[in-house]
């Protein structure tokens, strides 16, 4: 009745989520140029722990709203703005950002000998997983010159018993977490040594008679030490 046109909303809204952003495409209001000097697009996004807004100036039909948190639910609105006429109606959408690799490695790692042949590894999930943890990746350094070995553990478990080791074997362990967005940083290596076990037999034992009252006894250490030899026992009969 006042002769003024009603301001229109954007149309044909399409949203492509990223891990830290939304790419928003749309069509500008029909005949937007007839409603005054067009300023740009105002976008606001809210989540449980986030609130931000921004104005993108110009006759844009595609914007990239950044600075979002991965794997988070957002409620966003897109509003056209005219410099002289005001704001058009909002067009709103709800969307999740994509998963991303964890920001930090697993925490509270313990690596301890469980027996002469095994080591128990335990950990807690990353503080900022940025998604759903799918697997944990163990990096095993056997400290014997071999390549680092990888073992994958399902996310249901926060421990792993590494078996098949030798007695008194030192092993280095590092742990990383893998979400739907990829693998995050891994921990520093933590080293542990399996328990000692009985050594093997000495070899090349020789007894040489020196006098009627003395002999010279020589030997070589066991080929399988299973620990640190601290003394030898001689049984003379």
């Amino acid at each position: 009745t006042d002769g003024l046109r009603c301001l229109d909303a954007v149309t044909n809204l399409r949203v492509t989520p990223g891990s830290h952003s939304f790419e928003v495409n749309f069509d500008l209001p029909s005949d937007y140029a007839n409603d005054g000097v067009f300023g740009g697009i105002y976008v606001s996004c809210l989540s449980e722990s986030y609130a931000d807004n921004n104005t993108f100036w110009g006759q844009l039909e595609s914007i990239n709203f950044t600075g979002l948190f991965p794997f988070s639910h957002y409620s966003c609105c897109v509003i056209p703005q005219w410099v002289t006429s005001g704001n058009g109606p909002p067009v709103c959408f709800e969307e999740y950002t994509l998963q991303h690799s964890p920001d930090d490695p697993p925490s509270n790692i313990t690596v301890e000998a469980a027996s002469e042949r095994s080591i128990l590894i335990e950990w807690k999930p990353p503080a900022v997983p940025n998604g759903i943890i799918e697997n944990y990746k163990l990096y095993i350094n056997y400290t014997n010159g071999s390549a680092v070995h990888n073992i994958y553990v399902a996310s249901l478990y926060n421990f792993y018993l590494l078996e098949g080791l030798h007695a008194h074997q030192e092993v280095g362990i590092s742990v990383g977490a893998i979400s739907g967005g990829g693998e995050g940083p891994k921990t520093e290596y933590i080293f542990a040594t399996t328990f000692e076990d009985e050594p093997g037999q000495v070899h090349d034992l020789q007894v040489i008679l020196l006098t009627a009252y003395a002999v010279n006894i020589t030997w070589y250490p066991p080929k399988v030490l299973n620990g640190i030899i601290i003394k030898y026992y001689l049984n003379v009969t």
Side-chain angles (χ1 to χ4, degrees):
T1 57
D2 57 5
L4 298 178
R5 288 167 46 87
C6 292
L7 300 177
D8 290 331
V10 299
T11 59
N12 195 21
L13 186 72
R14 293 94 64 200
V15 181
T16 302
S19 59
H20 295 84
S21 64
F22 290 135
E23 181 182 326
V24 184
N25 294 275
F26 46 84
D27 295 334
L28 291 176
S30 59
D31 295 331
Y32 68 89
N34 295 329
D35 294 324
V37 179
F38 188 74
I41 299 294
Y42 174 83
V43 180
S44 65
C45 280
L46 300 174
S47 72
E48 291 184 357
S49 58
Y50 175 92
D52 196 10
N53 57 77
N54 201 354
T55 298
F56 299 83
W57 299 106
Q59 300 172 14
L60 306 175
E61 293 188 333
S62 178
I63 58 177
N64 195 26
F65 199 78
T66 60
L68 307 179
F69 296 109
F71 201 56
S72 299
H73 176 263
Y74 287 90
S75 298
C76 302
C77 291
V78 179
I79 303 172
Q81 292 184 325
W82 285 262
V83 175
T84 55
S85 305
N87 296 341
V91 175
C92 300
F93 64 91
E94 295 192 12
E95 186 63 82
Y96 274 90
T97 49
L98 300 181
Q99 298 187 67
H100 194 264
S101 58
D103 281 352
D104 54 338
S107 60
N108 296 344
I109 294 182
T110 59
V111 180
E112 298 177 341
S115 71
E116 296 86 355
R117 301 290 186 271
S118 63
I119 285 178
L120 179 62
I121 309 157
E122 296 181 287
W123 62 87
K124 297 295 184 184
V128 186
N130 288 333
I132 299 173
I133 299 299
E134 298 178 352
N135 295 284
Y136 293 100
K137 186 176 181 180
L138 308 185
Y139 295 80
I140 314 297
N141 180 358
Y142 291 104
T143 68
N144 58 4
S146 63
V148 172
H149 181 61
N150 295 131
I151 296 174
Y152 292 87
V153 179
S155 60
L156 293 175
Y157 305 100
N158 289 343
F159 67 91
Y160 185 80
L161 184 64
L162 181 64
E163 300 179 289
L165 304 174
H166 302 295
H168 199 62
Q169 179 179 354
E170 184 183 44
V171 177
I173 305 295
S174 176
V175 184
I178 302 173
S179 74
E183 182 180 359
K186 63 179 187 290
T187 65
E188 298 291 331
Y189 276 93
I190 299 177
F191 290 85
T193 303
T194 55
F195 295 142
E196 295 184 277
D197 200 358
E198 294 180 355
Q201 292 183 336
V202 299
H203 63 100
D204 291 343
L205 177 66
Q206 297 184 18
V207 180
I208 300 175
L209 180 64
L210 299 179
T211 69
Y213 302 100
V215 295
N216 183 45
I217 306 172
T218 61
W219 63 87
Y220 285 95
K223 293 182 179 179
V224 180
L225 297 176
N226 285 336
I228 299 173
I229 302 298
I230 57 176
K231 64 177 65 175
Y232 292 95
Y233 291 94
L234 299 180
N235 187 8
V236 181
T237 59

